[in-house]
Amino acid sequence: MKRLDALIVGAGFAGLRALYRLRGMGLDVRVIEVSDGIGGVWYHNGYPGARCDVESFDYSYSFSSELEQEWRWSERYATQPEILRYINHVADRFDLRRDIFLNTRMESADYDEAAAEWEVRTADGDVFRVRYLLLCMGQLSAPKAPNFDGQDDFEGEIIHSAVWPKHDVTFEGKRVGIIGTGSSGMQMTPVIAKAAKHLTVFQRTPNFSVPAANAPVSDEEDAKVKATYAARRQQALNSPTGLGFKPNRQSALDVDDAEREKVYEAAYHRLGFGFALSYHDILLSKPANDTAAEFLRRKIVERIEDPKVRAKLVPSDHAFAARRPSVDSGYFEAFNRDNVTLADIREHPIEAFEPAGLRTSEKLHELDMVIFATGFDAFTGALLKPDIRGRDGQLLRDKWAAGPITHLGVGTQGFPNLMIVVGPGSPSLLSNVMVSIEEQTDWFADLIEKANADGIVEIEVDAKAEQAWVAHVNERAQETLYMTAASYYNGAEVAGKPRVFMPYSGGIRNYRRILESCAKEGYSGFTLRRAPAAAKDRVET
Ligand code: NA7
């Protein structure tokens, strides 16, 4: 049994940042990580073409200006290998590895009410007893794979985009199928199309996408960003989504067509994901959204030669950005190649695997390899896998059976001293997640510092506070168009998952202010105890 001040679960961007900060406070802290390498989703999503669709200058740590100055991003949107190199560099640069246990799966965590401690058991039977348990397990880290009839009989290879093999995967001479057209499917399509003998993309829902406008980072641009990095970070902190540029505060409906077209055209060629911020009400008003959606549909049409294929690829069933749009590098153009076919599985659903390939209601697609780019059980998938038991042995899984309940996205009543980083109820996937990670890990660190200074041993969310926060998260979502589409934002990605809106849509700036005032008010919505509630009860009776 190992006794620690804090245990962090997950060695991705969040876990490393939490380790850096908590260790810096002199706490005895370790990270456990189920994989055999650090990096979280960036360790596993090694499919061809995998990139971040937030610019590297923003999708990076801000806690060390030395790190900011010395790291040189090669492209505006970094590839997965480059991001993984960055994470490994950070781990070495700040000597983090010595406190990370790899190949270590948290199987259960039980709250000991009398001691105000968590007892964490790993799959190998190791036990940790800790005051604070920080869950840094990722929001898109529990891959979701379909289970078609006959799957085991398929004679080719099946690979999931989010569990990409560490060995070289070759496509030369192969007939490859990709199921799924979210960001993963859209990113890998043009790359695999160039290498494979034939590529069939199985599409269920056509998705909006904006070209990445990716480019190498020139020495001039690198120098310019580094000279003004602090201002860029400040901008991100004060923006709705944590991106380092000023969003337009105008309404899309307050300008004439020519002006709007000019703004969209400029954003389309430069901003990638930030296109959604061209006007402030794109996600608030359907008529405003229609102007952006119409513009993008026109652009998509221009990119596809065959009118029949075009008709299938242009999204029409949801508002722009109500589902996560993609940022692509040649996705739609890939369908202009002779060796790429689009299979519309809304029209002709997949029926089963056969030894030679995938049968849809139309025909057998003969394939040597099928890639599932079918996404994740988002937000709660990873958090609810282990048995996490709070007061009275209640399982987190049971408490959240009708949807996650948190105060500020950081904790939940009945599970004291449990800290969730970038969890449901926080801006999470609606933000540049790096900004959210840094904001929350620092907030937790300050809370622990205060607790240690004041002799606090138990920190617990109040039931009323979490009910109010869940209601607030819902109210904010109702102001937007997010609930008008089925998406992983609202649990529609997994059959039977509660249909509730999970991230906080009020923006990074508002969320930061809420966290700050919570702390200033002595952590309103939380009870901070100098003795465990259970122990006090025992004394009193
Ligand atoms: P996404 O965005 O969740 O996309 C998953 C895709 O897979 C989507 O097109 C789904 O269609 C499709 N899908 C899922 N299950 C099936 C089955 N059973 N049959 C056919 N098609 C299916 O995941 P990604 O990995 O692409 O991207 C995740 C995030 O990573 C992304 O948003 C960025 O934040 C980075 P559907 O739309 O459900 O009809």
Side-chain angles (χ1 to χ4, degrees), residues 379-391:
F379 295 100
T380 51
L383 290 174
L384 298 185
K385 245 189 240 169
D387 290 335
I388 300 177
R389 291 185 199 85
R391 290 199 187 283

Side-chain angles (χ1 to χ4, degrees), residues 140 179-184 204-205 323-324 373-376 488:
L140 295 169
I179 302 179
T181 54
S183 291
S184 304
R204 193 160 68 180
T205 309
R323 297 158 57 89
R324 177 67 148 76
T374 47
F376 304 85
Y488 65 64

Side-chain angles (χ1 to χ4, degrees), residues 42 45 47 51-53 140 144-148 160-162 178-188 202-207 273 317-318 323-326 345-346 350 372-378 429 486-489 492-493:
W42 293 109
N45 282 259
Y47 59 82
R51 281 178 195 279
C52 186
D53 48 18
L140 295 169
K144 179 170 70 79
N147 188 10
F148 294 108
H160 197 295
S161 60
I178 298 174
I179 302 179
T181 54
S183 291
S184 304
M186 282 180 153
Q187 286 185 341
M188 70 176 73
F202 295 86
Q203 171 191 269
R204 193 160 68 180
T205 309
N207 225 353
F273 193 59
D317 70 346
H318 60 277
R323 297 158 57 89
R324 177 67 148 76
S326 292
I345 53 173
R346 270 266 149 81
I350 295 172
F372 290 160
T374 47
F376 304 85
D377 179 352
L429 294 175
S487 76
Y488 65 64
Y489 295 144
E493 83 286 16

Side-chain angles (χ1 to χ4, degrees), residues 79-403:
T79 59
Q80 175 266 345
E82 186 166 6
I83 295 172
L84 199 54
R85 277 200 299 281
Y86 173 77
I87 296 174
N88 277 282
H89 169 77
V90 171
D92 292 332
R93 169 88 170 65
F94 299 97
D95 190 22
L96 299 177
R97 286 185 208 278
R98 65 183 155 95
D99 289 323
I100 302 173
F101 298 112
L102 298 175
N103 299 305
T104 306
R105 177 190 295 278
M106 173 169 80
E107 200 149 79
S108 64
D110 289 84
Y111 187 64
D112 178 338
E113 295 186 55
E117 283 178 352
W118 283 94
E119 184 166 295
V120 174
R121 281 175 193 277
T122 73
D124 289 339
D126 292 328
V127 178
F128 295 88
R129 275 192 82 89
V130 303
R131 170 116 309 143
Y132 298 107
L133 180 60
L134 279 89
L135 304 182
C136 298
M137 299 164 79
Q139 313 79 49
L140 295 169
S141 49
K144 179 170 70 79
N147 188 10
F148 294 108
D149 284 347
Q151 207 158 299
D152 293 343
D153 303 330
F154 179 50
E155 282 165 357
E157 196 177 355
I158 298 179
I159 303 177
H160 197 295
S161 60
V163 198
W164 198 259
K166 292 292 168 196
H167 61 78
D168 268 353
V169 177
T170 57
F171 306 101
E172 281 69 21
K174 291 183 187 158
R175 296 158 304 173
V176 180
I178 298 174
I179 302 179
T181 54
S183 291
S184 304
M186 282 180 153
Q187 286 185 341
M188 70 176 73
T189 289
V191 184
I192 297 177
K194 281 190 194 134
K197 184 174 164 198
H198 191 87
L199 174 64
T200 307
V201 177
F202 295 86
Q203 171 191 269
R204 193 160 68 180
T205 309
N207 225 353
F208 283 101
S209 184
V210 181
N214 191 27
V217 174
S218 66
D219 288 342
E220 293 72 44
E221 190 180 0
D222 184 63
K224 198 171 146 206
V225 173
K226 286 177 177 170
T228 53
Y229 227 145
R232 185 173 177 129
R233 299 294 195 189
Q234 209 50 40
Q235 177 59 53
L237 287 173
N238 288 309
S239 74
T241 54
L243 301 177
F245 64 90
K246 259 202 168 68
N248 189 350
R249 303 240 174 253
Q250 268 184 314
S251 161
L253 305 175
D254 281 352
V255 293
D256 63 31
D257 291 355
E259 164 69 11
R260 197 188 304 117
E261 186 76 8
K262 219 168 75 191
V263 168
Y264 283 151
E265 195 68 36
Y268 181 80
H269 290 289
R270 180 61 183 88
L271 292 187
F273 193 59
F275 181 86
L277 303 176
S278 301
Y279 289 103
H280 94 93
D281 52 355
I282 287 180
L283 266 155
L284 300 178
S285 137
K286 183 68 171 49
N289 191 282
D290 285 344
T291 65
E294 260 318 305
F295 176 90
L296 288 176
R297 284 193 200 103
R298 261 189 284 131
K299 289 293 185 190
I300 293 171
V301 162
E302 285 167 15
R303 297 171 65 183
I304 308 157
E305 287 163 10
D306 182 332
K308 278 195 203 132
V309 177
R310 193 190 287 157
K312 291 179 192 302
L313 280 169
V314 175
S316 58
D317 70 346
H318 60 277
F320 165 64
R323 297 158 57 89
R324 177 67 148 76
S326 292
V327 177
D328 73 282
S329 302
Y331 173 69
F332 295 108
E333 289 82 355
F335 292 91
N336 299 334
R337 297 175 63 99
D338 292 339
N339 69 331
V340 178
T341 307
L342 178 70
D344 180 345
I345 53 173
R346 270 266 149 81
E347 191 180 350
H348 297 291
I350 295 172
E351 292 181 337
F353 268 97
E354 291 190 6
L358 262 179
R359 178 168 294 285
T360 65
S361 62
E362 182 190 23
K363 64 176 206 170
L364 172 69
H365 295 265
E366 291 188 28
L367 299 165
D368 304 302
M369 178 189 287
V370 173
I371 300 168
F372 290 160
T374 47
F376 304 85
D377 179 352
F379 295 100
T380 51
L383 290 174
L384 298 185
K385 245 189 240 169
D387 290 335
I388 300 177
R389 291 185 199 85
R391 290 199 187 283
D392 302 321
Q394 185 186 28
L395 279 165
L396 186 61
R397 211 180 291 130
D398 290 341
K399 173 161 183 189
W400 287 8

